[in-house]
Amino acid sequence: MVDHELLDHCLANVGIRGTVLQWLRLFLSGWGQRVAMGGGELSHYSLVCGVPQGAILSPMLFNIYMRPLTQLVRSFGLGCHQYADDTQLYLLMDGHPDSAPDTLFRCLEAVAGWLCGSRFKLNPSKTEVLWLGRDDTGLGGQLPSLAGAQLVPAPSVKSLGVIFNASFSMEAQVTAITKAAFFHLRQAKQLVLYFSRPDLATVIHVTVTSGLDYCNSLYVRLPLKLTQKLPQVQNAAARLLTGSSPRDHIHPVLYQLHWLPVEYRIRFKVLVLTFKALYGIGPSYLWDRLSWYVPWRTLRSANNNTLKIPGPREIRLALTRARANFWAVAPAWWNALPQETRALRDLTSFRRASARPLVRVQSDSFSRTRTKEGSQPTHRSL
């Protein structure tokens, strides 16, 4: 749906002109399509819209084409996040909790007009609204319509594969992840007799481990009754891959596979996100939640590359403090790293150094497990 003429203007607006613009025009021209039906082929049609699927330049060209939409939304005072063709608008209704402001109405009208003028087809049935506030506001009837369809608050929405609800409990997300993981494990169990161990490990990593690691930083400080489902998935995957018995202790199995437990994988992800945010290779909204620790008088700790931990005054409620995962947890975990690790500036070196303490803790757990098993005549063995 990317119109070539409109894309040409978008490229010029971002400063792409002259020879480079001519190269991109040649790249987009000459594409066509042909329809085959009943053993015969119809005539060849030239394409005047769209970018080649699978080409390296295509995502960049599409993002440039969609760039004016972000500028339009922010001109109304709303926030906007975009990922490919997924656009999210968010509005802080401070002081107006009972009705949607006129700004939202006018912004949605402008968005619908821009999409129509940019040759895009708007599908209001796929538009979801998540209301983060009191349930007794009666906001459902106050929301505007979009392209003739009335918008209503949804109990949960999916954002880039993560399910959110109004309370941000993450219960639906964890349930969906574990359900899908156990389904894939049951399918992989049927391949044990036919796959080698490296091939089976590849299948498990693609279908199960990747799901556990995706956006796992959102699981920080969730209730134990909810997060304990995730280690159960990892333990089941490890036992399937090694062929160990359910009665065998899981720590030696994970140590044998060089797998970090789920809780350490989450901690490692948060530390890497913190590093990226601090040194400009992560999203700016994460950096906005962090600040370097500056003592009120000259101390030796001033040069230790530590972060300021927010206090009770900055996070009013204890429950909010416990669930403000990145703001409250990231500085504490960062400050717990060795000083030489916090001083690193290379991402690859930091990833290796920050993982060492976690591996060391896992190794200590493995040693304690072997000591217990060696002192008792039990059936547990390696």
Side-chain angles (χ1 to χ4, degrees), residues 7-261:
L7 178 60
D8 192 82
H9 292 291
C10 293
L11 292 172
N13 290 335
V14 297
I16 300 177
R17 299 182 177 89
T19 304
V20 178
L21 183 58
Q22 292 296 330
W23 286 346
L24 292 176
R25 288 172 179 171
L26 291 174
F27 171 73
L28 294 173
S29 62
W31 295 95
Q33 66 180 11
R34 190 188 306 270
V35 179
M37 181 184 304
E41 292 187 355
L42 301 180
S43 302
H44 179 274
Y45 291 92
S46 298
L47 295 178
V48 296
C49 64
V51 290
Q53 186 175 7
I56 297 177
L57 290 176
S58 297
M60 180 195 69
L61 294 176
F62 181 80
N63 290 338
I64 293 176
Y65 192 78
M66 294 291 293
R67 186 170 179 263
L69 179 59
T70 304
Q71 299 171 342
L72 175 65
V73 172
R74 290 174 178 170
S75 67
F76 286 90
L78 277 73
C80 182
H81 284 164
Q82 285 184 304
Y83 185 85
D85 61 343
D86 183 16
T87 302
Q88 300 177 5
L89 283 63
Y90 54 95
L91 172 65
L92 177 62
M93 298 172 59
D94 190 13
H96 303 278
D98 299 327
S99 62
D102 294 337
T103 305
L104 180 59
F105 288 77
R106 291 186 281 108
C107 179
L108 291 180
E109 290 180 357
V111 168
W114 183 89
L115 292 173
C116 181
S118 300
R119 315 289 173 83
F120 282 125
K121 179 176 175 58
L122 178 62
N123 189 352
S125 63
K126 291 187 176 181
T127 301
E128 298 176 310
V129 178
L130 180 63
W131 168 248
L132 305 177
R134 300 195 311 269
D135 296 333
D136 57 349
T137 58
L139 187 65
Q142 303 291 334
L143 288 177
S145 60
L146 181 63
Q150 179 66 38
L151 299 179
V152 294
S156 63
V157 299
K158 180 176 288 189
S159 175
L160 301 181
V162 179
I163 303 175
F164 294 101
N165 56 12
S167 62
F168 275 81
S169 64
M170 303 303 297
E171 182 176 358
Q173 170 65 13
V174 174
T175 301
I177 288 295
T178 53
K179 182 179 179 180
F182 280 121
F183 169 79
H184 290 301
L185 286 177
R186 288 192 297 268
Q187 300 298 315
K189 189 175 182 179
Q190 303 177 14
L191 305 176
V192 173
L193 298 178
Y194 307 99
F195 276 21
S196 63
R197 179 168 170 174
D199 293 337
L200 184 61
T202 301
V203 172
I204 291 177
H205 286 317
V206 170
T207 59
V208 178
T209 309
S210 60
L212 294 178
D213 290 341
Y214 182 69
C215 293
N216 59 356
S217 58
L218 298 173
Y219 306 147
V220 174
R221 289 185 171 177
L222 288 178
L224 181 60
K225 65 178 182 179
L226 186 60
T227 56
Q228 66 182 1
K229 298 180 181 180
L230 303 175
Q232 290 174 0
V233 172
Q234 186 187 44
N235 297 346
R239 298 187 193 281
L240 176 62
L241 183 57
T242 58
S244 58
S245 169
R247 296 182 298 176
D248 294 336
H249 202 284
I250 194 59
H251 284 295
V253 178
L254 296 179
Y255 187 80
Q256 175 188 351
L257 294 173
H258 302 283
W259 287 7
L260 282 175

